[in-house]
Amino acid sequence: MAAHRVLILGGGFGGLYAARALGRAPVELTLVDRRNFHLFQPLLYQVATGALSPGEIASPLRAVLRRQRNTRVLLGEAVDLDATRRLLILSDGRLEYDSLIVATGSETTYFGHDAWREAAAGLKTVEEATMIRSRILHAFEVAEREEDPQRRKEWLTFVVVGAGATGVELAGALGEIAHDTLRHDFRRIRPEEAEILLLDGSDRVLPPFPPRLSAAAERLLIEEGVRARTGVRVVNIDECGVDVQTRTGPERIAARTVIWAAGVRGSSFGAVLARQAGASLGPNGQVAVLADLTLPGHPEIFVIGDLAYVTNETGAPLPGVAQVAMQQGDYAARQIERRLRGQAPLAPFRYRDKGQLAVIGRAAAVADIFGMQFSGFPAWLIWLFIHLMYIVEFSNRLLVFLQWGFLYLTFNRGARLITRTGRNHSAG
Amino acid sequence: MAAHRVLILGGGFGGLYAARALGRAPVELTLVDRRNFHLFQPLLYQVATGALSPGEIASPLRAVLRRQRNTRVLLGEAVDLDATRRLLILSDGRLEYDSLIVATGSETTYFGHDAWREAAAGLKTVEEATMIRSRILHAFEVAEREEDPQRRKEWLTFVVVGAGATGVELAGALGEIAHDTLRHDFRRIRPEEAEILLLDGSDRVLPPFPPRLSAAAERLLIEEGVRARTGVRVVNIDECGVDVQTRTGPERIAARTVIWAAGVRGSSFGAVLARQAGASLGPNGQVAVLADLTLPGHPEIFVIGDLAYVTNETGAPLPGVAQVAMQQGDYAARQIERRLRGQAPLAPFRYRDKGQLAVIGRAAAVADIFGMQFSGFPAWLIWLFIHLMYIVEFSNRLLVFLQWGFLYLTFNRGARLITRTGRNHSAG
């Protein structure tokens, strides 16, 4: 009998954990991704702010899985599905499967305002991260040469839209750049006078965290020179600023650098699943799955990670974080193995929440973990420890952490390159 | 009296050394570059082959010069010159000067065949390096999925045109990728069967080196799996291969990845100097300068580095290497200082040749240095030591060398990212 063919679509946390859990299973495993690397997304904001290079948070998928003899890795873009004949259609070929694990993740959404994308980049890919890096550094360069004080102020105003973990971390790192890293680099402007605004429509930063930690985060942000403005709804974004609606009325914020960290939705492969396998999509583009993470009527198709709509015991949807994706990847892999062995299926998937963390700046973070709450330096140590463990697991590039230690000691951000991927480059 | 204004155009080795030599002089110093970083060009081939990230060989110019109180750094693109009124015209402004040091370097030339650029990228910028990296890695990915053996072979054939130091180093690193780094990463193809061809029109590799070292380099290249073909003239390059003229007649080499390391010419600012300051340009676009590196009739304009045409005692032109640029930068700076102090001018510039080096692969190099010749591991140690000294001087990122040591121990090339800057990305 030919080996059972498992096809994993996507090499993020979910797909990679599923692949590793099946590393010794008697299956023929194929992992397909349109990129040749796994990206350690939680540190992408450090690329956007010049502390790390893209290569330092990316591991080639082939290298990560090279020891699994039952596994092959293919570079390819999935465009369609034939669920009846069990074929995944790529832009340049097709792949047969017996079990399919879809882990294509999420993408930035502008909630219908796609025109904002041009002025306010999201932070999901390495290309977006290096573009944001170029825009931030370029803004300081233009400000240094600008004679007009009003325009100089616009170039030194940075707006981060969305005060979830990504927005908070990005704003904190921006504060660090302006107040420490670039402090002595300019002659005319004083980078520490840069204004960094963090906007959110809800009434506090880090809404998913306990209110006590939101308050702590806001204090830590102020120390980093970031001003959080909550209860502020963005109504328009263009190249010169942001129009907002506040509790007291409309307002215009003049700013030449705007970064979008306000929302993600299920990736576009969800629409293929809806069309070809009868999946239902939630308002956020996520795919509704059964309690065992499979599609109704298609027990051979698992959907995991950010693309899957799964609720916890209280009915709240699970957050789009690496933890959830990894546990789901592991679950799908074990379920497939049990089926092959003829064992009873696993109990419904249940997320074991290990807590949440957000870094605000140098040695400052908030953590809600093991039922306890921390802020400041202790939270940062927890953050460092947890990330260290994962990085070591995914890659043998311990150097990332040496580099971090170095950065911490020297305030230096060496990867401050303005490369030609941004829009503001008439002068560069 | 207002301070003497020195304007340096270009932050490569020449411009940066001039700026540092003037760091304590009683001048008002401005360094203008269109990029915000100094690039350590000699290691750029390591970015193109995935061993280093761009951020690891680039130092922000502001950071390098932050301690010089008399110095400001500006991001700007020079487009013209008013030599009479002593104004440098930028795309978005103008700068006055009393002394001007032009150090804009060189650019890739296709000797009139600009159509080849699309198929065969040069290796001068970080963007080109990451594009070449993407193309190389992408070729292995396509080969892994290609059913047709002939087409698979074309994707596994890599041609480097030009066997100077850059071409030799790039080909050697390619051999290393195929034979060591990727060896266990694929299932269908065997990366070590990749064919790596190094073409040159002259009769040996590394023509500027002594013949004995050229022969040693060729042997080391063979050990890395690179086949050097000399006496081969390229007559056409397209997306599917290279047409060459050999001693025995015309030949077609089918290859999907071609890299151009065959020639550079003086940068385009040379034409501005010719038009606005009466400079004469050599056939290679280089600017003829007087024995003190100034332009005839313009003692206040120095031209240094790759852009300057300078000969040694035997009448041979100086090579376009960092050594020459650094010594010239230093010379121009000292000359300006002597003038300000009313001292007699320096004797004509004379290049103190410290030797030349080329790395061929892991722990293999050739060196012609201090009048002695080395090949293999001893040459590599010399190379390592010299580069270590320069890197430490330019940046505090010692980590590059930790990383190198690590790479050496593990055969790993972690920065293997295919990013979206290349052409071959229909599937990626």
Side-chain angles (χ1 to χ4, degrees):
Chain A
M1 202 186 83
H4 186 85
R5 291 162 303 182
V6 178
L7 179 54
I8 300 173
L9 179 59
F13 286 102
L16 203 47
Y17 261 66
R20 288 164 67 116
L22 287 167
R24 290 171 183 201
V27 299
E28 212 175 76
L29 181 63
T30 304
L31 186 143
V32 186
D33 197 294
R34 57 185 173 180
R35 310 306 297 262
N36 72 325
F37 52 85
H38 169 76
L39 185 65
F40 196 82
Q41 285 264 1
L43 289 178
L44 194 55
Y45 78 98
Q46 288 289 5
V47 173
T49 53
L52 295 174
S53 282
E56 291 159 351
I57 61 160
S59 312
L61 286 167
R62 295 194 178 285
V64 175
L65 297 172
R66 78 193 316 177
R67 281 174 213 279
Q68 295 189 195
R69 297 180 166 246
N70 66 349
T71 306
R72 63 176 179 157
V73 174
L74 293 180
L75 187 70
E77 171 127 39
V79 293
D80 207 348
L81 180 74
D82 184 335
T84 315
R85 294 163 63 204
R86 298 188 177 173
L87 287 173
L88 181 71
I89 318 295
L90 305 179
S91 61
D92 56 351
R94 51 181 55 199
L95 295 167
E96 297 177 7
Y97 63 83
D98 298 307
S99 294
L100 174 66
I101 301 177
V102 179
T104 51
S106 57
E107 55 192 40
T108 302
T109 178
Y110 292 82
F111 305 117
H113 302 282
D114 282 349
W116 299 356
R117 185 183 302 269
E118 191 57 32
L123 185 61
K124 287 293 287 183
T125 67
V126 289
E127 287 82 1
E128 285 174 327
T130 53
M131 183 173 73
I132 289 173
R133 180 179 74 186
S134 291
R135 288 185 183 180
I136 292 169
L137 296 169
H138 188 76
F140 285 104
E141 297 290 340
V142 176
E144 175 79 350
R145 290 194 43 206
E146 178 60 61
E147 307 279 347
D148 181 81
Q150 175 56 33
R151 280 206 296 272
R152 194 156 60 227
K153 185 166 182 301
E154 291 175 16
W155 282 108
L156 288 177
T157 303
F158 300 85
V159 174
V160 178
V161 182
T166 301
V168 164
E169 293 181 329
L170 199 53
L174 257 167
E176 209 178 306
I177 288 184
H179 296 90
D180 298 319
T181 313
L182 296 182
R183 195 186 216 157
H184 305 290
D185 277 14
F186 292 84
R187 294 294 174 262
R188 179 185 285 172
I189 61 166
R190 293 163 49 95
E192 61 268 40
E193 286 173 3
E195 188 164 21
I196 297 149
L197 298 172
L198 176 64
L199 310 183
D200 203 283
S202 70
D203 62 351
R204 57 188 172 98
V205 302
L206 296 175
F209 282 66
R212 197 170 80 80
L213 289 184
S214 293
E218 210 161 318
R219 278 193 305 275
L220 292 168
L221 283 166
I222 289 168
E223 283 172 28
E224 294 287 341
V226 177
R227 194 170 148 222
R229 294 189 59 184
T230 50
V232 166
R233 200 164 52 81
V234 170
V235 294
N236 191 41
I237 305 177
D238 58 50
E239 293 222 334
C240 298
V242 185
D243 292 299
V244 296
Q245 186 68 41
T246 72
R247 292 186 191 94
T248 56
E251 185 185 330
R252 168 78 178 175
I253 301 169
R256 303 297 300 235
T257 312
V258 183
I259 304 163
W260 183 260
V264 292
R265 50 173 285 124
S267 76
S268 60
F269 198 77
V272 173
L273 292 176
R275 198 171 64 239
Q276 306 291 20
S280 19
L281 298 187
N284 201 21
Q286 286 178 308
V287 173
V289 291
L290 299 176
D292 66 350
L293 308 179
T294 63
L295 289 185
H298 286 285
E300 79 284 8
I301 302 181
F302 292 82
V303 182
I304 63 172
D306 286 7
L307 181 59
Y309 184 85
V310 181
T311 54
N312 65 12
E313 301 91 73
T314 66
L318 295 182
V321 297
Q323 273 296 325
V324 171
M326 293 188 293
Q327 292 180 24
Q328 291 179 340
D330 201 58
Y331 179 93
R334 283 185 297 130
Q335 190 74 291
I336 290 170
E337 276 208 86
R338 290 181 74 91
R339 285 182 191 166
L340 290 178
R341 290 203 216 98
Q343 294 170 317
L346 291 168
F349 173 77
R350 197 164 149 227
Y351 175 48
R352 291 175 302 284
D353 188 349
K354 294 181 185 162
Q356 48 190 348
L357 281 156
V359 173
I360 284 132
R362 251 179 105 241
V366 292
D368 175 23
I369 198 162
F370 314 124
M372 290 183 287
Q373 297 171 6
F374 303 91
S375 63
F377 190 63
W380 186 80
L381 283 182
I382 294 168
W383 178 91
L384 190 69
F385 177 72
I386 290 176
H387 282 69
L388 181 57
M389 291 200 315
Y390 284 118
I391 291 249
V392 171
E393 189 179 348
F394 273 105
S395 122
N396 51 7
R397 303 187 87 218
L398 258 172
L399 283 161
V400 174
F401 270 84
L402 290 181
Q403 193 145 343
W404 261 67
F406 197 70
L407 170 73
Y408 177 65
L409 292 172
T410 63
F411 285 94
N412 193 10
R413 285 173 180 260
R416 300 208 300 275
L417 282 67
I418 302 181
T419 50
R420 283 173 192 151
T421 49
R423 91 193 120 101
N424 293 322
H425 293 111
S426 54
Chain B
M1 202 185 87
H4 185 86
R5 291 161 303 181
V6 178
L7 178 56
I8 300 174
L9 179 58
F13 286 103
L16 203 46
Y17 260 65
R20 288 164 68 114
L22 287 166
R24 290 173 182 202
V27 298
E28 211 175 78
L29 183 62
T30 304
L31 187 144
V32 185
D33 198 294
R34 57 184 171 181
R35 311 305 298 263
N36 72 326
F37 51 86
H38 168 76
L39 185 65
F40 197 82
Q41 284 264 2
L43 289 179
L44 194 56
Y45 78 99
Q46 288 289 4
V47 173
T49 53
L52 296 174
S53 283
E56 291 158 351
I57 61 161
S59 312
L61 285 167
R62 293 194 180 283
V64 174
L65 297 172
R66 79 193 316 177
R67 281 174 212 279
Q68 295 190 194
R69 299 185 164 240
N70 66 348
T71 306
R72 62 175 179 159
V73 174
L74 293 181
L75 187 71
E77 172 128 41
V79 293
D80 207 347
L81 180 74
D82 184 336
T84 315
R85 295 164 61 205
R86 299 190 177 172
L87 286 174
L88 181 71
I89 318 295
L90 306 180
S91 61
D92 55 353
R94 52 183 52 202
L95 294 168
E96 297 177 8
Y97 63 83
D98 299 306
S99 294
L100 174 68
I101 301 176
V102 179
T104 52
S106 57
E107 55 192 40
T108 302
T109 178
Y110 293 83
F111 305 117
H113 302 281
D114 283 346
W116 299 356
R117 186 183 301 268
E118 191 58 31
L123 186 61
K124 286 293 287 182
T125 66
V126 289
E127 287 81 3
E128 286 174 326
T130 52
M131 183 173 72
I132 289 173
R133 180 179 74 187
S134 291
R135 287 185 184 180
I136 292 169
L137 296 169
H138 189 76
F140 285 103
E141 297 289 340
V142 176
E144 174 80 350
R145 291 195 42 207
E146 178 60 62
E147 308 278 346
D148 180 80
Q150 175 56 32
R151 282 206 295 271
R152 194 155 59 227
K153 186 167 181 303
E154 289 174 17
W155 281 108
L156 289 177
T157 304
F158 299 85
V159 174
V160 178
V161 182
T166 301
V168 164
E169 293 180 329
L170 198 53
L174 257 168
E176 210 179 304
I177 288 184
H179 296 89
D180 298 317
T181 313
L182 297 181
R183 194 185 216 158
H184 305 291
D185 278 14
F186 292 85
R187 294 296 174 259
R188 180 186 285 172
I189 61 165
R190 292 163 49 94
E192 60 267 41
E193 287 173 2
E195 189 164 23
I196 297 149
L197 298 172
L198 177 64
L199 310 183
D200 202 284
S202 70
D203 61 352
R204 56 190 173 94
V205 303
L206 295 175
F209 281 66
R212 198 172 79 78
L213 288 184
S214 293
E218 210 160 317
R219 279 194 306 275
L220 292 168
L221 283 166
I222 289 168
E223 282 172 28
E224 294 287 341
V226 177
R227 192 167 151 226
R229 294 189 60 185
T230 51
V232 166
R233 199 164 53 81
V234 170
V235 293
N236 192 40
I237 304 176
D238 58 48
E239 292 223 334
C240 299
V242 184
D243 292 300
V244 296
Q245 185 69 41
T246 73
R247 293 184 191 92
T248 57
E251 185 184 329
R252 168 78 178 175
I253 300 168
R256 303 296 300 235
T257 312
V258 183
I259 303 162
W260 183 259
V264 292
R265 51 173 284 123
S267 76
S268 60
F269 198 77
V272 173
L273 292 176
R275 198 171 64 239
Q276 307 291 20
S280 15
L281 299 187
N284 202 22
Q286 286 178 308
V287 174
V289 292
L290 299 176
D292 66 350
L293 308 179
T294 63
L295 289 185
H298 285 285
E300 79 284 10
I301 302 182
F302 293 82
V303 182
I304 62 171
D306 286 7
L307 181 59
Y309 183 85
V310 181
T311 55
N312 65 13
E313 301 91 72
T314 67
L318 296 182
V321 297
Q323 272 297 322
V324 172
M326 293 187 293
Q327 291 180 24
Q328 291 180 341
D330 201 58
Y331 179 93
R334 283 186 297 132
Q335 189 74 291
I336 290 169
E337 277 207 85
R338 290 180 75 89
R339 286 181 189 165
L340 291 178
R341 289 203 217 99
Q343 294 171 318
L346 290 168
F349 173 77
R350 200 167 146 224
Y351 175 48
R352 293 174 303 282
D353 188 348
K354 294 182 185 163
Q356 46 191 350
L357 281 155
V359 173
I360 283 130
R362 252 180 102 241
V366 292
D368 176 23
I369 199 163
F370 313 125
M372 291 184 287
Q373 298 170 5
F374 303 90
S375 63
F377 189 64
W380 187 80
L381 283 182
I382 293 169
W383 178 92
L384 190 67
F385 178 71
I386 290 176
H387 281 70
L388 181 57
M389 292 200 315
Y390 283 118
I391 291 249
V392 170
E393 191 179 347
F394 273 105
S395 123
N396 51 5
R397 302 188 89 219
L398 259 171
L399 282 162
V400 175
F401 270 83
L402 290 181
Q403 193 145 345
W404 261 68
F406 196 70
L407 170 73
Y408 177 65
L409 292 172
T410 61
F411 284 94
N412 193 11
R413 284 172 181 263
R416 299 208 300 278
L417 281 66
I418 302 181
T419 50
R420 282 171 193 153
T421 50
R423 91 193 118 98
N424 294 320
H425 293 113
S426 53

